[in-house]
Amino acid sequence: MTGTTGTVGVRDATADDAAAMGHVHVAAWRAVYRGMLSSAFLDALDPAVRGDAWRTAIDDDPTPTGWRRLVGTLDGEVVGIALVGPDSLDPDGPDGEVHLINVAPDAWGSGVATALFAECVQTLASLEYRDAVLWVASENLRARRFYEREGWHRDGGERMNEIGGSEIPTVRYRSSLSSPSAS
């Protein structure tokens, strides 16, 4: 499906989306993190388990204050997921964070990532955050190019992120959410 066109949509995730969200989450991780994380860890990821985790989170709090869970769709099928909310390093601070954005590899190039990311940014702006930040694996060059095309820039933040028993170097990207006239 890479590079195909279709009807792209973005909406709030519901419990009915959880199974598809689990499949997107695992497919994206397997494609992106292959070579960064152990094959054993990636191969052991279970879409049903991830889907159950999404369902539990949505059932426990369908509309969490200050957070938003999104799905991106292509011709009505869930092929992307995103989570936005407060900055993980300073939850009471002035910045919001794109905590997660994943698109199924067979939907790369379809426009879903762009639409989903735009909704993430709009959500954080509507929550009146000053800036938006996100963390990305240093070696995830595809995602880094995408964020840079969207006008985001590295701000010097770096940290190690433990995933599946591996330490992954990550870098922080930032974008201003304030309008030029508000400066």
Side-chain angles (χ1 to χ4, degrees):
M1 195 183 305
T2 301
T4 63
T5 58
T7 304
V8 172
V10 177
R11 60 177 172 75
D12 289 305
T14 68
D16 291 340
D17 298 318
M21 293 170 75
H23 283 282
V24 169
H25 204 158
V26 169
W29 274 46
R30 285 179 177 161
V32 169
Y33 289 112
R34 189 75 60 192
M36 286 185 254
L37 300 176
S38 78
S39 291
F41 170 76
L42 292 171
D43 294 341
L45 292 175
D46 184 341
V49 170
R50 291 284 172 140
D52 288 346
W54 281 109
R55 181 178 307 282
T56 298
I58 293 168
D59 284 345
D60 286 352
D61 194 351
T63 55
T65 302
W67 290 82
R68 193 164 176 212
R69 295 177 202 99
L70 299 164
V71 293
T73 61
L74 186 60
D75 295 330
E77 178 185 349
V78 172
V79 296
I81 58 175
L83 176 67
V84 296
D87 183 343
S88 57
L89 296 182
D90 186 7
D92 296 319
D95 299 336
E97 184 171 341
V98 178
H99 290 270
L100 170 101
I101 182 165
N102 292 147
V103 174
D106 62 351
W108 290 354
S110 67
V112 170
T114 301
L116 195 55
F117 195 67
E119 188 66 21
C120 289
V121 172
Q122 178 57 41
T123 295
L124 293 172
S126 72
L127 292 170
E128 299 184 357
Y129 287 111
R130 178 192 68 193
D131 284 356
V133 297
L134 61 82
W135 292 89
V136 60
S138 299
E139 293 180 40
N140 188 348
L141 301 180
R142 180 184 184 89
R144 291 179 60 185
R145 285 189 301 269
F146 173 80
Y147 301 136
E148 290 165 6
R149 278 193 309 269
E150 294 298 315
W152 288 53
H153 64 276
R154 285 189 58 187
D155 72 356
E158 297 181 3
R159 68 181 180 189
M160 296 302 283
N161 192 14
E162 191 277 325
I163 303 174
S166 298
E167 290 288 324
I168 304 296
T170 60
V171 294
R172 186 172 54 206
Y173 278 73
R174 176 176 300 273
S175 181
S176 174
L177 297 174
S178 55
S179 66
S181 61
S183 301

